[in-house]
Amino acid sequence: MTAALKVGDLTRIYPGGGGIRGIDFTADERAVTAVIGPNGAGKTVLFSIIAGLARPESNALAWRQRWSRIRRS
């Protein structure tokens, strides 16, 4: 299958040590992909970064094979 979304080395660290570190995954076209985890695992942070609402420390995102890096401002 063709990858619709690729996430590589997505990291967002908050003061105090919380956040997400080194997230990698691929969501294929026409496939159901789930993100599961306990409260506080970083699911909302992950989707906020993908949607462009939050900035990560490091990352690489590909939407339909177009890679981009979001630089921290």
Side-chain angles (χ1 to χ4, degrees):
M1 272 193 195
T2 304
L5 174 66
K6 288 185 184 179
V7 175
D9 191 32
L10 194 63
T11 300
R12 170 70 184 190
I13 308 297
Y14 291 104
I20 57 175
R21 293 174 182 87
I23 302 295
D24 295 298
F25 74 90
T26 301
D28 292 330
E29 287 184 10
R30 299 183 186 149
V32 176
T33 302
V35 177
I36 60 172
N39 291 344
K43 299 176 299 291
T44 301
V45 173
L46 172 66
F47 286 109
S48 293
I49 293 169
I50 292 170
L53 301 174
R55 294 221 176 250
E57 273 80 31
S58 67
N59 76 57
L61 298 173
W63 174 250
R64 298 188 184 262
Q65 301 179 358
R66 293 183 184 167
W67 282 97
S68 65
R69 292 195 178 273
I70 302 172
R71 295 193 179 160
R72 192 166 183 207
S73 55

